[in-house]
Amino acid sequence: MSITYKSTRGGEQNVPASLAILKGLAQDGGLFVPDTIPAFDKSLKEYAAMDYKQLAYEIMKLYFTDFTKEELENCINRAYDTKFDTEEIAPLVEADGAYYLELFHGATIAFKDMALSILPHLMTTSAKKNGTKNEIVILTATSGDTGKAALAGFADVEGTRIVVFYPKNGVSPVQERQMVTQKGENTCVIGIHGNFDDAQTGVKNIFADKELAAYLEEKGFQFSSANSINIGRLIPQVVYYVYAYATLLKEGKIAENDTINVVVPTGNFGNILAAFYAKNMGLPIGKLICASNENKVLYDFFQDGCYDKNREFILTSSPSMDILISSNLERLIYWLAGNDAASNQAYMEQLKSAGKYEITPEMKDKLKDFVGGFASETETATKIKDLYDKTGYVIDTHTGVAAAAFGKYLENTKDTTPTVIASTASPFKFARSVMNAIDTKYDAMSDFELIDELSKVGNVSIPNAIEEIRNAPVRHKTVCEKEDMVAEIKKFLQV
């Protein structure tokens, strides 16, 4: 069955997967969604017999129907190779009554690697398929992890350049160092004075600037995105939820067609949306538990159906979730509205003009599979310590938010369904917060001393991604006002 893509705002229809990947964002500012969510064409038992690469092909072929088998397998084989430090790609670890899906074994030790390892290959293949002559300029806003994963993926990829904007004081020291030491002649990293939402809004406005697009077209460039607004980034994330289920099935932890719950620490809503897609394909997921940190705009939305970004922006120890405008929620709103682009457009206009919108009771009824959860900074730190004291297993702050929110869910519901928690980053990426949670005595240490200590305490070796940046020179030093983002892009492209 051929799947095409359409904009959530109605401006584009019947767009093949390769063109949707190439564009990133629809011309009307909407996000591309599949015209239908495909059903599995194999049994869960068959999936359980596959390794990660085989499973990735089976899931992605259902969405990327204009790619040949050879094209798609080539992208997958180049993505999921030795840059991952475990054979399984996404190991599942049982600790204290939950299964932690470790999504941080790629080149930049965060879950973004799972999709951003393959996106450059999907993108360059798509460019060839569509006869693109322009150089593709990847434009991305990051709250910490996407930026580095995208930079690592696109560094020195022929026919591409990449510009990453991040909030200058809104990422962890390790996250910043990973970005500003990035090699590659085609890479550009810029800090902005502002928060992640300022960076993301700036990038969206640049995508919507038709005059700028025409000017760059003249100069031989075209923009695309590596954020989870790009469908080529979202679909590869569906794979690991199916893989988690298949692993539980293979290991005899569940029987075929048993239900599992999934807990996802959430900021931009892409990762949990991928789980929602997996559920709609036929994966037996019961509850989708959406875990927020103190920026709990999504928690409040699931409580009362009102999305309201008019609130204080809080910098937390889980910076990748410090987001008040969850871009991917638009895809869910479109679905809740019965795939009505006009209705979705109206909500997005309200968000832009008033900073909030409220869905109808009928739409809210369709959210019964979602559970909003949140954890404060104290609850997150307590969970990290408790889990370590009980099991010796060390988790990062984002996973800590998810684990703490899950603990509250269990208290409230007594639900005994086997549960997978998406473990989205290595604890080494947030060593200070993690070690302080375990014991405040570590606070006097430097960042890299903490990393060495964490290795001893957790009995895990330091990932290569950390060793690489320990003494790496800083290559990217630009910091700008949010109003100057376009000027900096032009400077980098020398136009």
Side-chain angles (χ1 to χ4, degrees):
M1 187 173 81
S2 179
I3 297 274
T4 59
Y5 291 80
K6 55 187 175 178
S7 168
T8 51
R9 301 189 190 178
E12 292 181 70
Q13 309 277 334
N14 302 317
V15 178
S18 60
L19 195 53
I21 290 167
L22 207 49
K23 287 183 167 188
L25 199 65
Q27 277 165 329
D28 58 6
L31 278 60
F32 285 113
V33 288
D35 53 20
T36 184
I37 293 181
F40 293 146
D41 65 352
K42 288 191 169 53
S43 71
L44 294 166
K45 218 172 195 168
E46 285 173 287
Y47 289 150
M50 297 177 186
D51 66 20
Y52 196 89
K53 285 197 234 185
Q54 291 166 328
L55 187 61
Y57 173 74
E58 290 299 331
I59 302 304
M60 288 191 224
K61 74 169 191 194
L62 300 173
Y63 285 95
F64 301 151
T65 54
D66 66 328
F67 282 70
T68 66
K69 185 174 193 283
E70 187 186 16
E71 284 169 341
L72 195 48
E73 283 183 339
N74 181 45
C75 291
I76 288 164
N77 288 332
R78 291 170 75 183
Y80 303 113
D81 57 9
T82 52
K83 68 174 81 67
F84 286 84
D85 63 17
T86 55
E87 209 178 311
E88 310 97 307
I89 305 294
L92 202 58
V93 175
E94 191 173 355
D96 194 29
Y99 298 97
Y100 288 82
L101 178 62
E102 293 188 344
L103 299 171
F104 52 77
H105 289 281
T108 75
I109 56 176
F111 83 98
K112 311 287 170 84
D113 288 324
M114 301 299 293
L116 281 163
S117 294
I118 192 167
L119 184 62
H121 305 297
L122 292 172
M123 189 92 69
T124 49
T125 304
S126 295
K128 281 184 199 134
K129 290 172 82 64
N130 287 278
T132 303
K133 301 283 186 281
N134 290 340
E135 202 166 338
I136 298 162
V137 181
I138 303 298
L139 196 56
T140 289
T142 186
S143 54
D145 285 340
T146 287
K148 173 59 184 179
L151 288 161
F154 281 94
D156 293 325
V157 169
E158 205 178 322
T160 69
R161 299 204 199 182
I162 176 163
V163 183
V164 169
F165 291 100
Y166 74 97
K168 179 67 183 110
N169 297 309
V171 300
S172 82
V174 168
Q175 284 177 314
E176 181 170 48
R177 192 157 179 81
Q178 279 188 305
M179 288 189 279
V180 298
T181 58
Q182 177 64 50
K183 296 175 189 169
E185 291 306 306
N186 65 335
T187 64
C188 175
V189 180
I190 301 167
I192 69 154
H193 294 302
N195 59 38
F196 169 72
D197 288 331
D198 295 322
Q200 179 164 258
T201 300
V203 164
K204 278 189 161 182
N205 290 342
I206 292 166
F207 273 116
D209 188 337
K210 291 186 170 51
E211 215 173 286
L212 178 63
Y215 174 74
L216 289 176
E217 170 85 28
E218 217 177 274
K219 304 287 183 186
F221 297 107
Q222 71 185 65
F223 285 133
S224 191
S225 168
N227 280 70
S228 53
I229 54 175
N230 192 317
I231 200 72
R233 161 81 190 275
L234 183 67
I235 299 307
Q237 294 179 256
V238 175
V239 176
Y240 49 69
Y241 293 106
V242 185
Y243 182 76
Y245 190 97
T247 302
L248 290 173
L249 183 55
K250 183 167 60 185
E251 292 177 354
K253 303 283 172 60
I254 57 172
E256 192 171 18
N257 299 317
D258 278 0
T259 298
I260 64 166
N261 290 337
V262 170
V263 190
V264 187
T266 310
N268 220 13
F269 206 72
N271 202 4
I272 196 161
L273 185 73
F276 176 74
Y277 274 29
K279 178 180 170 72
N280 281 275
M281 293 177 79
L283 196 67
I285 294 176
K287 294 297 182 191
L288 295 148
I289 301 162
C290 178
S292 299
N293 64 18
E294 289 183 0
N295 292 292
K296 56 190 183 71
V297 64
L298 285 165
Y299 171 78
D300 293 342
F301 170 71
F302 286 117
Q303 296 303 106
D304 59 19
C306 179
Y307 191 92
D308 186 353
K309 76 175 185 75
N310 302 313
R311 62 185 70 205
E312 184 194 353
F313 183 93
I314 302 165
L315 289 173
T316 73
S317 62
S318 46
S320 300
M321 297 160 69
D322 291 346
I323 293 172
L324 294 180
I325 304 173
S326 303
S327 282
N328 269 289
L329 189 64
E330 179 170 346
R331 286 184 167 114
L332 184 69
I333 296 297
Y334 175 76
W335 177 83
L336 291 172
N339 298 340
D340 180 343
S343 178
N344 174 66
Q345 172 89 25
Y347 286 121
M348 295 308 120
E349 287 299 329
Q350 285 173 42
L351 183 62
K352 197 172 180 181
S353 60
K356 63 178 180 178
Y357 58 82
E358 189 164 359
I359 61 173
T360 65
E362 292 77 20
M363 289 166 76
K364 193 166 185 313
D365 283 347
K366 291 167 81 174
L367 285 173
K368 64 183 186 308
D369 294 336
F370 283 92
V371 177
F374 86 97
S376 68
E377 288 287 89
T378 304
E379 288 166 335
T380 300
T382 300
K383 186 66 195 182
I384 291 169
K385 179 174 172 53
D386 287 352
L387 187 65
Y388 173 71
D389 287 347
K390 206 183 275 189
T391 66
Y393 187 56
V394 183
I395 54 173
D396 91 295
T397 45
H398 302 73
T399 312
V401 170
F406 176 55
K408 288 186 189 179
Y409 169 79
L410 280 187
E411 255 174 61
N412 293 336
T413 64
K414 310 292 184 278
D415 185 352
T416 57
T417 305
T419 297
V420 170
I421 296 176
S423 185
T424 53
S426 165
F428 287 100
K429 210 160 193 175
F430 304 95
R432 184 166 300 281
S433 298
V434 169
M435 293 300 280
N436 270 345
I438 291 169
D439 194 325
T440 51
K441 72 179 183 189
Y442 296 115
D443 200 37
M445 292 183 175
S446 72
D447 287 322
F448 280 98
E449 283 172 340
L450 278 169
I451 281 162
D452 293 333
E453 195 62 27
L454 173 55
S455 175
K456 285 182 212 157
V457 164
N459 197 28
V460 275
S461 52
I462 297 167
N464 189 42
I466 297 288
E467 292 296 5
E468 272 178 0
I469 62 167
R470 201 185 276 262
N471 300 305
V474 172
R475 295 167 175 268
H476 305 274
K477 296 173 183 171
T478 306
V479 180
C480 76
E481 300 302 323
K482 57 190 176 188
E483 297 79 16
D484 298 328
M485 290 165 71
V486 171
E488 291 299 337
I489 292 168
K490 285 181 173 176
K491 204 185 289 181
F492 171 59
L493 298 178
Q494 297 179 317
V495 295

